[in-house]
């Protein structure tokens, strides 16, 4: 019964969220340039948004996994990955060195005041969503091995 309840909650929360788009929130990239997230709503190709922090071991593990598959996702589906750091004033200075050290080749945005995180009701990180043609079509909370396969399958289904 507990599993059924959990599946029902996940299903309805995902379906309810599936009609949402990214809010009109402005974040800065690592060079200090302001990016309005709502601009991604007009993209025709999938946009993967991953919330993370430097102090979150599962987040780092997930982004390292994504890094191994990102080129394939770009080549096959034209996907773009945006890693949104939720590091606050105490830890945000670690972001650049973490990204540089890991060699991540995707867009990094800073949500140090958690405006985007609050707007999307993100409770826990890592938290990943896929936006396609302005609609959130996939949501995953927490890191589980094999998430890259779920994302690949979702990207594949969107390309049909």
């Amino acid at each position: 019964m507990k599993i059924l309840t959990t599946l029902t909650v996940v299903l309805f929360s995902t379906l309810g969220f599936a009609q949402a788009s990214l809010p009109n929130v402005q974040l800065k990239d690592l060079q200090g340039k302001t990016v309005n997230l709502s601009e991604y709503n007009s993209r025709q190709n999938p946009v993967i948004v991953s919330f993370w922090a430097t102090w979150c071991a599962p987040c780092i593990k997930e982004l390292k996994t994504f890094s191994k598959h990102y080129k394939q996702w770009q080549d096959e589906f034209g996907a773009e990955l945006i890693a949104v750091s939720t590091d606050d004033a105490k830890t945000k200075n670690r972001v650049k060195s973490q990204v540089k050290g890991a060699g991540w080749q995707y867009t990094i945005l800073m949500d140090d005041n958690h405006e985007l995180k609050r707007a999307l009701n993100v409770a826990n990180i890592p938290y990943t969503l896929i936006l396609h043609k302005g609609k959130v079509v996939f949501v995953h909370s927490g890191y589980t091995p094999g998430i890259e396969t779920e994302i690949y399958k979702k990207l594949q289904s969107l390309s049909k």
Side-chain angles (χ1 to χ4, degrees), residues 37-107:
L37 269 288
S38 66
E39 292 174 12
Y40 288 98
N41 292 327
S42 62
R43 304 277 168 97
Q44 293 301 303
N45 291 336
V47 178
I48 303 163
V49 181
S50 179
F51 288 84
W52 70 289
T54 57
W55 49 262
C56 172
C59 299
I60 303 302
K61 189 179 281 191
E62 181 173 86
L63 285 173
K64 283 182 178 181
T65 300
F66 289 175
S67 183
K68 293 175 187 173
H69 300 275
Y70 184 46
K71 177 93 171 89
Q72 179 184 12
W73 296 344
Q74 285 179 305
D75 292 346
E76 286 188 42
F77 311 110
E80 183 174 355
L81 178 59
I82 302 166
V84 179
S85 168
T86 61
D87 283 275
D88 60 16
K90 292 180 184 178
T91 59
K92 72 179 183 179
N93 291 334
R94 300 181 200 162
V95 174
K96 280 187 183 180
S97 60
Q98 173 69 49
V99 170
K100 185 177 180 182
W104 295 335
Q105 298 297 313
Y106 27 82
T107 302

Side-chain angles (χ1 to χ4, degrees), residues 46 76-77 132 154-160:
E76 286 188 42
F77 311 110
H132 186 249
K154 186 61 181 180
L155 294 173
Q156 202 172 33
S157 75
L158 295 172
S159 68
K160 294 179 179 177

